[in-house]
Amino acid sequence: MNKVDKAWILMKDIEKPIYNNLINKARNINIDKSIKKIPYAIEKNKLEKKIMANHQLIHHVKREIEGIRSYLSDHYVFLLTDAEGIALYVTYNEKMASTLSNLRVMPGASFNLIHAGLNAISVAKEVRSTVVVSGSEHDLDLFKSCICICTPIYMDGDPIGYMNLSVEVGKDISFAIPLLHYIVSAVEELLMKDNPHHEERRVLKLLKLHGLTKREMEIALQWLKNYSVPRISSSLGITEGTVRNMLKKIYLKTNVRNKGEFIRRFM
């Protein structure tokens, strides 16, 4: 997956060109930073379509959060958005209920940069990694009492959503980042199991990076499934000699010496 090696990024750690671009974008947004609630939410019918399109993602996130909720004692907010930064699911402890309702932190609310300025979700969208945005680093005043941690949820190398955990400024967040990573990793794994073709697409992307032709990728996929040379020959309508010659080319392009190395590299 296209994640950086570091576990998380603070605002001060963002690469300077990306950081400057973010700041410039935020400055050009005509937004009332003192507004008392989330500035923008999509229409109900659009939200319903988004929820239907992301029902598996929402289901798995709910299940994972329910599994750890009893271990959380402080004020907290979990927020799931789609790839555009539109909230799909929000959950929190009872202490936060009235506050969040007044702020309009609910499904449909937009945390995109153009609607909500700099916040953990809009920043994570830009850097495509786990970010921590704290207090005054937020553009909107209504977020400045929070430390927010957000990490992308990936499928096939691209973010399909963002998982945010917010706690009060001053609270210890040492637990929050590994907890968030645990939830997101579990959700990504469950989503992969939901999609039987995901693994094949993942392998095809890796093979393509090594410059394999379309025919070589077809043979490579069947070889990874432990099909024999005669079976591959029959299924693709080519001779066994052609299959063996192409396997040699595949090994050369992927820098492996035998089938064992090939399977270990791509499976």
Side-chain angles (χ1 to χ4, degrees):
M1 294 183 180
N2 300 329
K3 298 180 182 178
V4 297
D5 293 335
K6 192 172 181 179
W8 71 88
I9 296 176
L10 301 174
M11 287 290 285
K12 66 182 181 63
D13 295 328
I14 296 174
E15 293 180 12
K16 194 168 182 180
I18 298 175
Y19 179 82
N20 289 339
N21 185 46
L22 265 171
I23 296 300
N24 288 334
K25 283 182 180 180
R27 284 174 179 165
N28 291 329
I29 297 169
N30 185 20
I31 188 170
D32 181 0
K33 296 183 179 182
S34 64
I35 195 167
K36 302 301 182 184
K37 58 185 178 180
I38 303 296
Y40 177 80
I42 63 172
E43 298 170 358
K44 184 178 179 180
N45 63 326
K46 292 182 179 179
L47 174 61
E48 289 172 350
K49 289 179 181 178
K50 281 184 176 289
I51 288 175
M52 287 182 63
N54 292 279
H55 70 279
Q56 287 179 315
L57 172 61
I58 298 168
H59 170 74
H60 293 317
V61 166
K62 284 182 177 179
R63 192 177 81 167
E64 292 304 315
I65 291 175
E66 285 304 315
I68 54 88
R69 192 187 295 275
S70 61
Y71 298 100
L72 301 171
S73 57
D74 287 323
H75 294 61
Y76 66 86
V77 182
F78 283 103
L79 175 65
L80 169 69
T81 79
D82 68 358
E84 297 176 0
I86 303 297
L88 301 173
Y89 172 66
V90 184
T91 188
Y92 37 79
N93 59 4
E94 293 180 2
K95 300 172 185 176
M96 300 292 290
S98 60
T99 300
L100 293 176
S101 177
N102 293 334
L103 296 180
R104 198 164 69 175
V105 177
M106 59 184 67
S110 173
F111 292 82
N112 205 309
L113 185 69
I114 63 171
H115 298 132
L118 292 175
N119 62 82
I121 295 164
S122 65
V123 175
K125 285 184 63 185
E126 294 289 328
V127 302
R128 294 170 69 97
S129 182
T130 301
V131 297
V132 178
V133 180
S134 180
S136 61
E137 292 173 339
H138 295 94
D139 272 344
L140 297 183
D141 291 345
L142 59 90
F143 296 143
K144 290 185 178 179
S145 62
C146 298
I147 303 175
C148 300
I149 307 102
C150 182
T151 191
I153 301 172
Y154 281 90
M155 279 291 288
D156 296 328
D158 295 311
I160 60 167
Y162 296 87
M163 190 74 217
N164 183 91
L165 172 58
S166 298
V167 297
E168 293 175 296
V169 167
K171 295 292 184 181
D172 179 16
I173 64 166
S174 59
F175 80 96
I177 294 168
L179 177 63
L180 203 58
H181 284 172
Y182 168 80
I183 292 171
V184 168
S185 294
V187 168
E188 289 173 341
E189 185 174 341
L190 288 166
L191 288 171
M192 283 191 284
K193 290 178 179 177
D194 289 339
N195 188 343
H197 301 297
H198 167 78
E199 185 64 18
E200 184 170 308
R201 291 201 302 271
R202 181 190 69 81
V203 172
L204 281 172
K205 282 190 173 184
L206 289 176
L207 292 171
K208 194 171 183 180
L209 291 174
H210 290 275
L212 271 66
T213 65
K214 182 179 178 181
R215 177 63 87 188
E216 287 169 348
M217 286 194 287
E218 289 174 340
I219 291 172
L221 279 177
Q222 296 197 26
W223 198 235
L224 289 168
K225 293 176 182 177
N226 208 28
Y227 289 5
S228 66
V229 169
R231 182 173 178 180
I232 297 173
S233 168
S234 175
S235 68
L236 297 180
I238 56 180
T239 67
E240 292 182 19
T242 299
V243 173
R244 290 191 178 92
N245 286 335
M246 286 197 171
L247 284 171
K248 291 177 183 178
K249 292 179 181 178
I250 291 167
Y251 287 175
L252 184 64
K253 288 182 178 181
T254 58
N255 195 30
V256 300
R257 294 170 294 179
N258 53 53
K259 187 175 185 179
E261 286 186 10
F262 184 62
I263 290 174
R264 285 193 296 272
R265 171 163 293 189
F266 293 99
M267 296 297 285

